[in-house]
Amino acid sequence: MSDISSGDHDASIRPGEKSVALPDHYDAQVYFIGRIRTPWTDRGACPRRGDPQHGPVCILDIDPRWAEALTGIGENANLQVLYWMDQARRDLVVQTPRHDGSVVGTFALRSPVRPNPIASSIVTLLEVDGTRLKVRGLDCLDGTPMVDLKPEHPRG
Amino acid sequence: MSDISSGDHDASIRPGEKSVALPDHYDAQVYFIGRIRTPWTDRGACPRRGDPQHGPVCILDIDPRWAEALTGIGENANLQVLYWMDQARRDLVVQTPRHDGSVVGTFALRSPVRPNPIASSIVTLLEVDGTRLKVRGLDCLDGTPMVDLKPEHPRG
Protein backbone atom coordinates (compact mmCIF):
# COMPACT_ATOMS: atom_id res chain seq x y z
CA MET A 1 0.00 0.00 0.00
CA SER A 2 3.02 2.28 0.29
CA ASP A 3 3.87 2.25 -3.40
CA ILE A 4 1.78 5.05 -4.81
CA SER A 5 2.78 4.21 -8.38
CA SER A 6 1.43 0.66 -8.07
CA GLY A 7 -1.63 -0.33 -10.05
CA ASP A 8 -2.57 -2.98 -7.51
CA HIS A 9 -5.04 -0.94 -5.54
CA ASP A 10 -7.35 1.81 -6.60
CA ALA A 11 -6.00 4.44 -4.23
CA SER A 12 -2.87 4.57 -6.37
CA ILE A 13 -1.99 7.44 -8.65
CA ARG A 14 0.63 7.14 -11.40
CA PRO A 15 2.98 9.76 -12.82
CA GLY A 16 0.99 11.95 -15.24
CA GLU A 17 -2.32 11.29 -13.51
CA LYS A 18 -4.10 14.19 -11.87
CA SER A 19 -6.74 14.52 -9.18
CA VAL A 20 -9.11 17.39 -8.40
CA ALA A 21 -10.89 18.38 -5.21
CA LEU A 22 -14.19 16.52 -5.01
CA PRO A 23 -17.40 18.54 -4.53
CA ASP A 24 -18.15 19.37 -0.89
CA HIS A 25 -21.48 17.57 -0.97
CA TYR A 26 -23.19 14.67 -2.67
CA ASP A 27 -26.27 15.24 -4.80
CA ALA A 28 -28.16 11.95 -4.62
CA GLN A 29 -28.03 8.56 -2.97
CA VAL A 30 -28.28 4.96 -4.09
CA TYR A 31 -29.50 1.70 -2.65
CA PHE A 32 -27.63 -1.50 -3.39
CA ILE A 33 -30.25 -3.89 -4.80
CA GLY A 34 -28.12 -7.02 -4.47
CA ARG A 35 -24.68 -8.48 -5.07
CA ILE A 36 -22.93 -10.00 -8.07
CA ARG A 37 -21.32 -13.42 -7.62
CA THR A 38 -18.38 -14.05 -9.95
CA PRO A 39 -15.35 -16.37 -9.96
CA TRP A 40 -12.91 -13.45 -9.42
CA THR A 41 -11.76 -12.54 -5.93
CA ASP A 42 -8.92 -10.19 -6.78
CA ARG A 43 -8.78 -7.42 -9.31
CA GLY A 44 -5.81 -8.79 -11.19
CA ALA A 45 -7.80 -11.90 -12.09
CA CYS A 46 -10.79 -10.06 -13.57
CA PRO A 47 -10.98 -10.16 -17.38
CA ARG A 48 -10.58 -6.83 -19.18
CA ARG A 49 -14.16 -7.06 -20.37
CA GLY A 50 -17.01 -9.51 -19.96
CA ASP A 51 -17.98 -11.98 -22.69
CA PRO A 52 -21.77 -12.52 -22.96
CA GLN A 53 -21.27 -15.62 -25.13
CA HIS A 54 -18.33 -17.51 -23.66
CA GLY A 55 -17.66 -15.94 -20.27
CA PRO A 56 -18.26 -17.95 -17.08
CA VAL A 57 -21.71 -18.14 -15.53
CA CYS A 58 -22.16 -15.47 -12.85
CA ILE A 59 -25.04 -14.91 -10.43
CA LEU A 60 -27.06 -11.75 -9.86
CA ASP A 61 -28.23 -12.19 -6.29
CA ILE A 62 -31.12 -9.76 -5.80
CA ASP A 63 -32.24 -8.60 -2.34
CA PRO A 64 -35.56 -10.36 -1.47
CA ARG A 65 -37.14 -6.92 -0.92
CA TRP A 66 -37.14 -6.52 -4.72
CA ALA A 67 -38.34 -10.05 -5.61
CA GLU A 68 -41.54 -8.88 -7.30
CA ALA A 69 -39.58 -6.37 -9.37
CA LEU A 70 -38.26 -9.38 -11.32
CA THR A 71 -41.76 -10.24 -12.63
CA GLY A 72 -41.46 -10.99 -16.34
CA ILE A 73 -37.69 -10.51 -16.51
CA GLY A 74 -37.23 -13.99 -17.98
CA GLU A 75 -38.65 -12.77 -21.30
CA ASN A 76 -35.47 -10.82 -21.96
CA ALA A 77 -32.51 -12.50 -23.66
CA ASN A 78 -30.18 -9.70 -22.62
CA LEU A 79 -30.08 -7.45 -19.59
CA GLN A 80 -28.17 -4.32 -18.71
CA VAL A 81 -26.57 -4.51 -15.26
CA LEU A 82 -25.38 -1.37 -13.48
CA TYR A 83 -23.01 -1.93 -10.59
CA TRP A 84 -20.95 0.07 -8.17
CA MET A 85 -17.16 -0.22 -8.32
CA ASP A 86 -16.87 0.45 -4.63
CA GLN A 87 -13.09 0.10 -4.41
CA ALA A 88 -12.26 2.86 -6.88
CA ARG A 89 -11.05 6.37 -6.12
CA ARG A 90 -13.26 9.12 -7.51
CA ASP A 91 -11.10 12.21 -7.94
CA LEU A 92 -8.89 11.56 -11.00
CA VAL A 93 -9.50 13.71 -14.09
CA VAL A 94 -6.73 12.27 -16.27
CA GLN A 95 -5.36 8.75 -16.18
CA THR A 96 -2.55 6.78 -17.85
CA PRO A 97 -4.27 3.51 -18.69
CA ARG A 98 -1.68 2.16 -21.08
CA HIS A 99 1.42 2.56 -18.90
CA ASP A 100 3.06 4.28 -21.92
CA GLY A 101 2.77 7.82 -20.58
CA SER A 102 -0.25 8.74 -22.73
CA VAL A 103 -2.79 10.70 -20.72
CA VAL A 104 -6.52 10.22 -21.23
CA GLY A 105 -9.45 11.97 -19.58
CA THR A 106 -11.58 9.97 -17.16
CA PHE A 107 -14.73 10.47 -19.27
CA ALA A 108 -12.85 9.14 -22.33
CA LEU A 109 -12.25 5.85 -20.48
CA ARG A 110 -14.43 3.08 -19.06
CA SER A 111 -12.06 2.76 -16.08
CA PRO A 112 -13.71 2.15 -12.67
CA VAL A 113 -11.87 5.27 -11.46
CA ARG A 114 -14.43 8.09 -12.06
CA PRO A 115 -16.54 10.58 -10.08
CA ASN A 116 -19.38 8.05 -9.82
CA PRO A 117 -18.01 4.51 -10.10
CA ILE A 118 -21.01 3.08 -11.94
CA ALA A 119 -20.19 0.33 -14.44
CA SER A 120 -22.60 -0.91 -17.10
CA SER A 121 -22.50 -4.36 -18.70
CA ILE A 122 -24.77 -6.16 -21.14
CA VAL A 123 -25.26 -9.78 -20.08
CA THR A 124 -26.97 -12.84 -21.51
CA LEU A 125 -29.73 -14.14 -19.23
CA LEU A 126 -29.54 -17.93 -18.83
CA GLU A 127 -31.91 -18.74 -15.97
CA VAL A 128 -34.11 -17.11 -13.36
CA ASP A 129 -34.26 -19.02 -10.05
CA GLY A 130 -36.27 -16.89 -7.64
CA THR A 131 -34.10 -13.89 -6.83
CA ARG A 132 -30.97 -15.48 -8.33
CA LEU A 133 -30.31 -14.85 -12.02
CA LYS A 134 -27.68 -16.81 -13.94
CA VAL A 135 -25.97 -14.67 -16.56
CA ARG A 136 -22.85 -14.46 -18.73
CA GLY A 137 -20.90 -11.32 -19.62
CA LEU A 138 -19.56 -9.85 -16.39
CA ASP A 139 -15.97 -8.96 -15.54
CA CYS A 140 -16.21 -7.66 -11.94
CA LEU A 141 -15.08 -8.84 -8.54
CA ASP A 142 -17.13 -11.32 -6.54
CA GLY A 143 -19.42 -9.42 -4.16
CA THR A 144 -19.71 -6.27 -6.28
CA PRO A 145 -22.88 -4.35 -5.33
CA MET A 146 -25.55 -3.96 -7.98
CA VAL A 147 -27.49 -0.72 -8.42
CA ASP A 148 -29.81 -1.49 -11.34
CA LEU A 149 -30.99 -4.18 -13.69
CA LYS A 150 -33.07 -3.58 -16.81
CA PRO A 151 -33.76 -5.03 -20.25
CA GLU A 152 -31.12 -4.10 -22.85
CA HIS A 153 -33.86 -2.70 -25.08
CA PRO A 154 -37.20 -1.06 -24.25
CA ARG A 155 -40.32 -3.20 -24.64
CA GLY A 156 -41.39 -3.06 -28.29
CA MET B 1 -51.40 16.50 -8.08
CA SER B 2 -54.51 15.16 -6.37
CA ASP B 3 -55.30 12.48 -8.94
CA ILE B 4 -53.22 9.54 -7.81
CA SER B 5 -54.16 7.50 -10.88
CA SER B 6 -52.76 10.13 -13.24
CA GLY B 7 -49.63 9.39 -15.22
CA ASP B 8 -48.74 13.07 -15.32
CA HIS B 9 -46.39 13.06 -12.37
CA ASP B 10 -44.13 10.38 -11.05
CA ALA B 11 -45.62 10.19 -7.57
CA SER B 12 -48.67 8.51 -9.09
CA ILE B 13 -49.52 4.85 -8.63
CA ARG B 14 -52.02 3.07 -10.87
CA PRO B 15 -54.37 0.18 -10.10
CA GLY B 16 -52.32 -3.04 -10.13
CA GLU B 17 -49.08 -1.30 -9.27
CA LYS B 18 -47.40 -2.12 -5.98
CA SER B 19 -44.88 -0.38 -3.76
CA VAL B 20 -42.59 -1.80 -1.07
CA ALA B 21 -40.94 -0.18 1.92
CA LEU B 22 -37.63 1.32 0.87
CA PRO B 23 -34.48 0.30 2.79
CA ASP B 24 -33.87 2.33 5.95
CA HIS B 25 -30.51 3.56 4.72
CA TYR B 26 -28.69 4.40 1.52
CA ASP B 27 -25.53 2.53 0.56
CA ALA B 28 -23.60 5.00 -1.61
CA GLN B 29 -23.74 8.53 -2.87
CA VAL B 30 -23.39 10.26 -6.22
CA TYR B 31 -22.17 13.59 -7.49
CA PHE B 32 -23.96 15.27 -10.36
CA ILE B 33 -21.25 15.99 -12.97
CA GLY B 34 -23.35 18.37 -15.05
CA ARG B 35 -26.74 18.91 -16.64
CA ILE B 36 -28.35 17.81 -19.89
CA ARG B 37 -29.92 20.48 -22.08
CA THR B 38 -32.76 19.22 -24.26
CA PRO B 39 -35.75 20.80 -26.05
CA TRP B 40 -38.24 19.11 -23.67
CA THR B 41 -39.54 20.94 -20.62
CA ASP B 42 -42.40 18.66 -19.64
CA ARG B 43 -42.48 14.89 -19.44
CA GLY B 44 -45.36 14.47 -21.86
CA ALA B 45 -43.29 16.05 -24.64
CA CYS B 46 -40.27 13.74 -24.24
CA PRO B 47 -39.94 11.08 -26.97
CA ARG B 48 -40.31 7.47 -25.83
CA ARG B 49 -36.69 6.84 -26.72
CA GLY B 50 -33.81 8.89 -28.06
CA ASP B 51 -32.71 8.69 -31.70
CA PRO B 52 -28.90 8.93 -32.12
CA GLN B 53 -29.25 9.55 -35.89
CA HIS B 54 -32.23 11.87 -36.31
CA GLY B 55 -33.04 13.17 -32.84
CA PRO B 56 -32.55 16.86 -32.04
CA VAL B 57 -29.16 18.15 -30.96
CA CYS B 58 -28.85 18.21 -27.15
CA ILE B 59 -26.07 19.58 -24.97
CA LEU B 60 -24.13 17.82 -22.24
CA ASP B 61 -23.08 20.69 -20.01
CA ILE B 62 -20.25 19.38 -17.82
CA ASP B 63 -19.29 21.07 -14.54
CA PRO B 64 -15.98 22.97 -15.07
CA ARG B 65 -14.49 20.99 -12.16
CA TRP B 66 -14.34 18.01 -14.53
CA ALA B 67 -13.05 19.86 -17.62
CA GLU B 68 -9.80 17.89 -17.85
CA ALA B 69 -11.72 14.61 -17.57
CA LEU B 70 -12.92 15.32 -21.15
CA THR B 71 -9.35 15.03 -22.54
CA GLY B 72 -9.50 12.90 -25.68
CA ILE B 73 -13.25 12.39 -25.59
CA GLY B 74 -13.62 13.77 -29.14
CA GLU B 75 -12.08 10.57 -30.52
CA ASN B 76 -15.28 8.67 -29.72
CA ALA B 77 -18.14 8.58 -32.21
CA ASN B 78 -20.57 7.33 -29.57
CA LEU B 79 -20.81 7.91 -25.85
CA GLN B 80 -22.80 6.33 -23.07
CA VAL B 81 -24.52 8.89 -20.85
CA LEU B 82 -25.82 7.95 -17.40
CA TYR B 83 -28.30 10.38 -15.89
CA TRP B 84 -30.49 10.67 -12.84
CA MET B 85 -34.25 10.69 -13.29
CA ASP B 86 -34.71 12.86 -10.24
CA GLN B 87 -38.48 13.20 -10.49
CA ALA B 88 -39.27 9.49 -10.27
CA ARG B 89 -40.57 7.57 -7.26
CA ARG B 90 -38.34 4.69 -6.20
CA ASP B 91 -40.53 2.17 -4.38
CA LEU B 92 -42.60 0.42 -7.08
CA VAL B 93 -41.91 -3.28 -7.66
CA VAL B 94 -44.57 -3.88 -10.33
CA GLN B 95 -45.89 -1.36 -12.83
CA THR B 96 -48.59 -1.22 -15.51
CA PRO B 97 -46.77 0.48 -18.37
CA ARG B 98 -49.24 -0.33 -21.11
CA HIS B 99 -52.43 0.89 -19.43
CA ASP B 100 -53.99 -2.48 -20.36
CA GLY B 101 -53.82 -3.99 -16.88
CA SER B 102 -50.74 -6.12 -17.61
CA VAL B 103 -48.32 -6.02 -14.71
CA VAL B 104 -44.55 -5.98 -15.26
CA GLY B 105 -41.72 -5.99 -12.74
CA THR B 106 -39.66 -2.83 -12.40
CA PHE B 107 -36.44 -4.65 -13.40
CA ALA B 108 -38.18 -5.92 -16.56
CA LEU B 109 -38.78 -2.30 -17.63
CA ARG B 110 -36.63 0.68 -18.54
CA SER B 111 -39.10 3.00 -16.77
CA PRO B 112 -37.58 5.88 -14.76
CA VAL B 113 -39.51 4.53 -11.76
CA ARG B 114 -36.98 2.18 -10.08
CA PRO B 115 -34.97 1.88 -6.84
CA ASN B 116 -32.10 3.87 -8.34
CA PRO B 117 -33.41 6.13 -11.12
CA ILE B 118 -30.32 5.86 -13.32
CA ALA B 119 -31.00 5.99 -17.06
CA SER B 120 -28.48 4.99 -19.72
CA SER B 121 -28.46 6.26 -23.30
CA ILE B 122 -26.08 5.82 -26.21
CA VAL B 123 -25.57 9.12 -28.04
CA THR B 124 -23.76 10.26 -31.16
CA LEU B 125 -21.07 12.84 -30.38
CA LEU B 126 -21.22 15.79 -32.83
CA GLU B 127 -18.95 18.43 -31.33
CA VAL B 128 -16.86 19.20 -28.25
CA ASP B 129 -16.80 22.89 -27.30
CA GLY B 130 -14.92 23.14 -24.00
CA THR B 131 -17.16 21.59 -21.38
CA ARG B 132 -20.22 21.58 -23.68
CA LEU B 133 -20.74 18.50 -25.84
CA LYS B 134 -23.27 18.47 -28.68
CA VAL B 135 -24.92 15.07 -29.04
CA ARG B 136 -27.95 13.33 -30.53
CA GLY B 137 -29.91 10.46 -28.99
CA LEU B 138 -31.40 11.72 -25.73
CA ASP B 139 -35.03 11.64 -24.62
CA CYS B 140 -34.94 13.30 -21.18
CA LEU B 141 -36.18 16.54 -19.67
CA ASP B 142 -34.17 19.73 -19.96
CA GLY B 143 -32.01 20.14 -16.86
CA THR B 144 -31.69 16.43 -16.08
CA PRO B 145 -28.60 15.81 -13.93
CA MET B 146 -25.82 13.69 -15.41
CA VAL B 147 -23.92 11.13 -13.33
CA ASP B 148 -21.49 9.63 -15.83
CA LEU B 149 -20.17 9.86 -19.35
CA LYS B 150 -17.98 7.25 -21.05
CA PRO B 151 -17.13 5.80 -24.45
CA GLU B 152 -19.68 3.27 -25.68
CA HIS B 153 -16.88 0.74 -26.15
CA PRO B 154 -13.60 0.23 -24.26
CA ARG B 155 -10.43 1.51 -25.95
CA GLY B 156 -9.20 -1.11 -28.38
Side-chain angles (χ1 to χ4, degrees), chain A residues 18 20-33 48-49 62 65-73 76 79-80 82 84 90-94 97-98 102-111 114-120 146-156, chain B residues 18 20-33 48-49 62 65-73 76 79-80 82 84 90-94 97-98 102-111 114-120 146-156:
Chain A
K18 182 176 170 187
V20 293
L22 287 169
D24 60 7
H25 67 281
Y26 292 102
D27 297 294
Q29 298 177 292
V30 302
Y31 302 112
F32 294 161
I33 60 164
R48 183 143 180 278
R49 66 182 86 171
I62 309 292
R65 176 189 306 272
W66 302 111
E68 286 181 87
L70 297 170
T71 304
I73 203 161
N76 299 284
L79 299 174
Q80 181 177 19
L82 300 183
W84 190 264
R90 300 174 65 166
D91 60 349
L92 293 194
V93 284
V94 294
R98 288 177 184 279
S102 68
V103 164
V104 185
T106 290
F107 296 141
L109 291 169
R110 292 182 68 92
S111 157
R114 51 203 320 111
N116 298 299
I118 303 169
S120 166
M146 225 178 319
V147 296
D148 203 5
L149 181 63
K150 52 185 125 202
E152 181 183 11
H153 301 291
R155 285 161 68 90
Chain B
K18 184 175 170 187
V20 293
L22 287 169
D24 60 6
H25 67 280
Y26 291 102
D27 297 294
Q29 298 177 293
V30 302
Y31 302 112
F32 294 161
I33 61 164
R48 183 144 177 279
R49 68 183 85 172
I62 309 292
R65 177 188 306 271
W66 302 111
E68 285 180 88
L70 297 170
T71 304
I73 203 160
N76 299 284
L79 299 174
Q80 181 177 19
L82 301 183
W84 190 264
R90 300 174 65 166
D91 60 351
L92 293 195
V93 284
V94 294
R98 288 177 183 279
S102 68
V103 164
V104 185
T106 290
F107 296 141
L109 291 169
R110 292 182 67 94
S111 158
R114 52 203 319 109
N116 297 299
I118 303 169
S120 167
M146 225 178 318
V147 296
D148 203 6
L149 181 63
K150 52 184 125 201
E152 181 182 12
H153 301 291
R155 284 162 70 90

